[in-house]
Structure formats: structure tokens, C-alpha cells
Amino acid sequence: MKVTLVSRSGREFINGGLELPDSATVADLQEAIYKRTKKFYPSRQRLTVPVPPGSKERPVVLNYKKSLKDYFDEKQNKLTVVFKDLGPQVSYSTLFFFEYLGPLILYPIFYYFPMYKFFGYGEDRVIHPVQTYAVYYWCFHYLKRIMETFFVHRFSHATSPLSNVFRNCAYYWLFGSYIAYYVNHPLYTPVGDLQMKIGFGFGLVCQLSNLYCHIILKNLRNPDGSGGYQIPHGFLFNIVTCANYTTEIYQWLGFNIATQTVAGYVFLIVATSIMTNWALTKHRRLKKLFDGNEGRPKYPRRWVILPPFQ
């Protein structure tokens, strides 16, 4: 079987195309491209079926598990594939590890070390109990995130663009430093003891609930990350579509109730807006996929992320 590879502009990507056995899979084609180019490893490739000029249809992405015959054009007696370079890639576990490692390291630096002398304050400062509980709470959260990355999460996509590492690290590392600076500041004024206990207690319950939500989502996928979209059931997923985002938002709300800083609430607002957008996208996708037609189950009526957002 001869496979013609073209770029999105229509130019031939590999002169003369590639000859593959009739039994070849898309994964075999990806390996053949890598062997020929020495640069574009499989996770860096995006292979699609060409769409007619002027068509508004989205191109079909080739599934690496399928046979190339599934995409063979019998009318033209050939197979043409559009190649796109996705750029350098990293595994999702690597991406998540580095974005969470920054806050885990940076926040305690502001608590344990005399950082504020560089900002014009003396080295002596009174450390309030809420600041001590806050550093423990913070470190528990990001340690949990890292452990989930390696032992809980199952990713539907193996890799992410390398550029996302810099973007995500900037987001987490800068916000982590921003919050740490004000929560551990020498002039920090703590909230009342009762408010601190309510905030951290509520937040800790939400952190553990968030872990349980991630375990539920893990069980919806096979160990290799496959399994497609499914309707999550159980626990808070019976009420909201994205219970994992709901508990994530509430655990930061608990942290802010206990610590009460502008920096913390700014982070909460930004994070909530991002996760709400993700939740709306997922909610619409699930409702579209599970429409109750042709034997498909109908997606139940649920909140999107937080009541009253339906």
C-alpha cells in the first residue's frame, strides 16, 4: 500500500510517499514517518484525512490503533494523509510534575527562610498559627497533586506541547509566590481562631473529596488511557458534571476563608473562571454525545460545576 503524505498546504511532505504492507496500522505509518525523517516521532505527528476544498467539516484524525485500510479511498485507489507537526512534546505526567513542583518548593521558602529582608523588612517576625497551618495545608495539596499525577490520573492523550510547560509553570509558580508572600508577610494580620478552623476544616474535606473524584474518573478509563467519554456516576458526580473542579474550587475557598488575603482571592477567581470554562465545554460535549438517540443513554440533568450554573 502506498501512502502519500502532504502538508496542510497540499505540498508533498515526503517525496514519493511511503510503501507499507496492506496489514499496516496507523501506528506503523507513524513509525515509518519517524524512521524516514529522524525528527518527527509519533507523538509529535497529527495525521488527518484530507477534506474537500471549501469544506467546513473538521478533518478526521487517524486513530493509531486502526488499520490504514479503514481510511483507504477505494474510488481513487490510494491513501492520502495530511501531516501536521505538533512541535516538541512532553508527557502529561512531566508537565504536571513541574507545574506542581514550583508551588510546593516556593511557598515554604517564604515561611521558613528570611526572605522579607530582601524587601526591606527585618529578619524577626511573629509566626502566627494560621501561617503554620497554611504551609502544611498548601504542601499537602501539591503533594497530593503530584501523587495523583503518577498514581491516579489516566491521560487520554499521551503528550502535551513543550510550550505548555512554560505557560503552566508561569501560572502556578507566580501565583504560588504571590500568595506565599502575603500569607507569610511580617505585617500579616490573622483571622479569628474559629474562622481559621472552619476554613481549613472545610478545605481539607474538599481536598479528600477531590481525591475521591479523581479516583472515580480514573476508573472510567483503561490503564492505557483509552475508554472514550463516559457518564461519571457516584458521589458528587450525581449532582454536578465536573465534581472534580467543584471540590478544587471549594478547597481553595476554604484556604482563603482561613488565611484571608487579596492574593488568595485573586487566585480563586482566576482558577474558578478557568475551571468553569473547562466544565462548560465538557458538559456540552457529554450532552451532545449522550443524547438518548440510537440506543445511546441520555445525559442526566445535572449542574455544570456549581449551582446555579446549569
Side-chain angles (χ1 to χ4, degrees):
M1 178 189 301
K2 184 176 181 179
V3 181
T4 302
L5 289 154
V6 298
S7 64
R8 290 193 294 172
S9 63
R11 297 180 59 183
E12 193 170 16
F13 175 66
I14 294 180
N15 293 332
L18 294 170
E19 288 287 347
L20 293 166
D22 291 342
S23 60
T25 63
V26 174
D28 294 328
L29 173 60
Q30 291 179 313
E31 288 294 339
I33 294 172
Y34 180 42
K35 186 176 180 180
R36 183 73 174 268
T37 62
K38 307 296 184 184
K39 177 182 179 181
F40 303 110
Y41 43 87
S43 61
R44 187 169 173 167
Q45 303 172 22
R46 183 175 185 265
L47 306 178
T48 58
V49 176
V51 295
S55 174
K56 295 183 179 180
E57 294 182 5
R58 298 187 66 177
V60 175
V61 179
L62 274 61
N63 187 324
Y64 75 98
K65 293 183 178 180
K66 288 189 174 183
S67 169
L68 286 175
K69 283 187 175 181
D70 294 338
Y71 303 100
F72 189 78
D73 190 340
E74 295 183 355
K75 293 181 179 179
Q76 299 185 18
N77 196 31
K78 67 176 183 179
L79 175 60
T80 301
V81 174
V82 179
F83 171 90
K84 179 184 178 181
D85 175 23
L86 297 176
Q89 301 285 301
V90 296
S91 68
Y92 268 97
S93 58
T94 299
L95 169 65
F96 284 5
F97 172 74
F98 281 106
E99 69 184 38
Y100 300 149
L101 182 64
L104 180 61
I105 294 175
L106 292 170
Y107 190 101
I109 288 176
F110 284 89
Y111 176 83
Y112 288 107
F113 296 96
M115 297 296 295
Y116 293 93
K117 68 178 182 180
F118 300 110
F119 300 99
Y121 297 93
E123 294 188 21
D124 295 332
R125 64 187 176 101
V126 176
I127 297 179
H128 303 283
V130 64
Q131 294 171 311
T132 301
Y133 292 133
V135 74
Y136 293 156
Y137 183 98
W138 183 279
C139 291
F140 173 76
H141 172 74
Y142 282 102
L143 278 172
K144 178 182 81 73
R145 285 279 194 98
I146 290 174
M147 292 300 102
E148 287 173 337
T149 296
F150 292 109
F151 301 109
V152 177
H153 292 321
R154 289 174 176 172
F155 304 104
S156 57
H157 299 287
T159 62
S160 171
L162 178 62
S163 59
N164 286 350
V165 174
F166 303 102
R167 182 196 65 187
N168 290 18
C169 285
Y171 171 79
Y172 281 100
W173 294 27
L174 290 174
F175 260 122
S177 300
Y178 178 45
I179 296 170
Y181 175 83
Y182 284 103
V183 174
N184 297 290
H185 200 280
L187 302 181
Y188 174 78
T189 303
V191 300
D193 188 63
L194 179 60
Q195 182 175 334
M196 176 192 71
K197 291 178 179 178
I198 291 174
F200 283 138
F202 174 70
L204 183 59
V205 169
C206 291
Q207 287 217 52
L208 297 176
S209 299
N210 181 256
L211 171 61
Y212 186 51
C213 289
H214 288 157
I215 292 173
I216 291 174
L217 293 176
K218 169 191 174 182
N219 294 330
L220 294 179
R221 294 188 183 277
N222 297 321
D224 63 355
S226 63
Y229 288 101
Q230 299 183 46
I231 300 175
H233 294 283
F235 194 46
L236 297 176
F237 286 105
N238 293 334
I239 304 171
V240 293
T241 293
C242 295
N244 51 321
Y245 298 151
T246 303
T247 51
E248 178 76 10
I249 290 169
Y250 280 139
Q251 74 93 17
W252 283 120
L253 176 62
F255 178 85
N256 283 305
I257 290 173
T259 56
Q260 203 82 355
T261 64
V262 172
Y265 279 109
V266 169
F267 176 66
L268 175 63
I269 292 170
V270 173
T272 299
S273 65
I274 292 172
M275 285 186 277
T276 299
N277 185 53
W278 291 345
L280 288 167
T281 301
K282 185 172 183 179
H283 188 76
R284 286 192 292 263
R285 185 185 295 118
L286 289 173
K287 288 185 69 175
K288 183 178 180 180
L289 288 173
F290 301 103
D291 54 8
N293 298 325
E294 300 178 359
R296 293 184 293 271
K298 186 172 179 60
Y299 193 74
R301 184 176 178 83
R302 292 176 178 172
W303 303 112
V304 176
I305 184 169
L306 299 170
F309 301 111
Q310 183 62 43

